[in-house]
């Protein structure tokens, strides 16, 4: 399930990409499939072991184009172990809302990006996130949880003040917002609730089958209740 639109953030052979806060690696895997060189970066060393295992499996299955490379690096988004201007692209998907000093992280993204390079920044959309916060305090107070709710204007202003040129944006995962509202209403950690389980099964089916009906429904819902907002920015040349 990708949040970033690679039509707006083109990657391919010869492109070096940082997936910042990569988590399970969903975007890193797609970057590698497209033939770019990817660095999956996260502070969770255990999660990165799974990412490295998947990289190896993709290589063995012949899913990695010639010359494309992948590596995992453990570290802190506020002090990344990379030289200035190291990457052509940076992806930061659902990361900044977890970081108290978000502007320090933005400055690090700006620093490691090459002049003229592009970044895709995704955060939870304001309305769906605000509803989740209102329904269940545990959703945002658990250790490592979300520390802020962004408006698109705030996110854009902070990135602009860091030095980025602001580009287009879109919303994603409109079908996922109701799932999280259900989760928060019944208890965010209550994975066994029948309603939450049923909706989760629908989402899994949709991800696997991608039928036309749900693609149309999501396209309609995304601008209204898309769970994530994706903003594309550029470091001036």
């Amino acid at each position: 399930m990708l949040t970033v639109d690679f039509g707006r953030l083109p990657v391919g052979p010869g492109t070096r990409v940082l997936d910042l806060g990569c988590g399970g690696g969903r975007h890193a895997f797609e970057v590698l499939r497209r033939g770019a060189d990817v660095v999956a970066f996260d502070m969770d060393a255990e999660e990165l072991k799974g990412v490295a295992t998947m990289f190896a499996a993709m290589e063995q299955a012949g899913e990695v184009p010639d010359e494309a490379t992948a590596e995992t690096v453990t570290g802190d988004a506020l002090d990344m172990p990379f030289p200035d201007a190291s990457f052509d692209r940076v992806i930061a998907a659902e990361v900044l809302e977890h970081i108290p000093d978000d502007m320090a992280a933005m400055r690090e993204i700006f620093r490691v990006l090459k002049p003229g390079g592009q970044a895709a920044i995704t955060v939870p959309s304001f309305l769906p996130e605000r509803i989740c916060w209102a329904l269940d305090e545990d959703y945002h107070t658990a250790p490592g949880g979300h520390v802020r709710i962004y408006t698109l204007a705030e996110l854009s202003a902070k990135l602009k003040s860091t030095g980025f040129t602001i580009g287009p944006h879109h919303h994603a995962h409109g079908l996922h917002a109701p799932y999280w509202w259900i989760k928060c209403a019944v208890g965010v950690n209550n994975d066994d609730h029948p309603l939450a389980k049923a909706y989760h099964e629908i989402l899994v089916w949709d991800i696997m089958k991608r039928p036309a009906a749900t693609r149309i429904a999501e396209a309609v819902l995304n601008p209204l209740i898309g769970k994530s907002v994706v903003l594309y920015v550029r470091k001036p040349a």
Side-chain angles (χ1 to χ4, degrees):
M1 183 186 71
L2 299 175
T3 306
V4 171
D5 177 2
F6 286 99
R8 301 175 191 245
L9 188 80
V11 302
T15 309
R16 190 163 189 244
V17 183
L18 173 66
D19 188 359
L20 171 61
C22 66
R26 58 197 173 101
H27 287 105
F29 302 146
E30 181 63 21
V31 168
L32 186 59
R33 288 189 187 98
R34 290 171 178 261
D37 302 318
V38 62
V39 176
F41 183 80
D42 203 283
M43 65 189 308
D44 188 335
E46 285 301 313
E47 190 135 48
L48 284 178
K49 288 180 182 179
V51 175
T53 298
M54 184 61 179
F55 283 154
M58 290 172 63
E59 179 75 36
Q60 191 171 29
E63 295 182 25
V64 180
D66 293 341
E67 308 302 326
T69 64
E71 63 176 306
T72 60
V73 177
T74 306
D76 188 338
L78 302 184
D79 186 21
M80 291 192 279
F82 308 115
D84 296 355
S86 294
F87 297 95
D88 302 289
R89 307 281 186 268
V90 174
I91 297 169
E94 314 297 297
V95 173
L96 294 178
E97 69 274 12
H98 295 274
I99 301 175
D101 192 353
D102 60 337
M103 292 196 70
M106 293 177 190
R107 289 191 291 270
E108 274 292 270
I109 294 170
F110 190 87
R111 180 185 69 79
V112 303
L113 194 60
K114 293 179 181 179
Q118 294 174 267
I121 312 294
T122 95
V123 298
S125 299
F126 178 82
L127 178 59
E129 184 75 350
R130 186 69 190 85
I131 293 173
C132 287
W133 281 46
L135 288 172
D136 189 355
E137 186 175 355
D138 288 342
Y139 174 83
H140 66 93
T141 58
H146 299 179
V147 298
R148 71 179 59 79
I149 304 175
Y150 287 101
T151 63
L152 178 60
E154 177 190 357
L155 180 63
S156 299
K158 286 184 171 181
L159 288 164
K160 185 175 181 180
S161 71
T162 304
F164 286 106
T165 299
I166 306 302
H169 73 275
H170 62 86
H171 292 78
H173 311 315
L175 292 176
H176 290 245
Y179 170 70
W180 283 103
W181 296 341
I182 292 168
K183 285 275 288 178
C184 289
V186 303
V188 72
N189 296 314
N190 185 4
D191 294 328
D192 293 326
H193 191 280
L195 190 56
K197 288 179 69 174
Y199 201 106
H200 183 263
E201 289 175 3
I202 292 172
L203 291 179
V204 171
W205 169 78
D206 176 57
I207 291 169
M208 298 300 295
K209 301 297 185 180
R210 301 189 66 79
T214 57
R215 295 304 89 222
I216 294 169
E218 184 149 86
V220 172
L221 290 173
N222 278 343
L224 304 172
I225 59 168
K227 185 71 172 67
S228 298
V229 60
V230 190
L231 181 60
Y232 300 87
V233 297
R234 183 183 295 274
K235 181 175 179 176

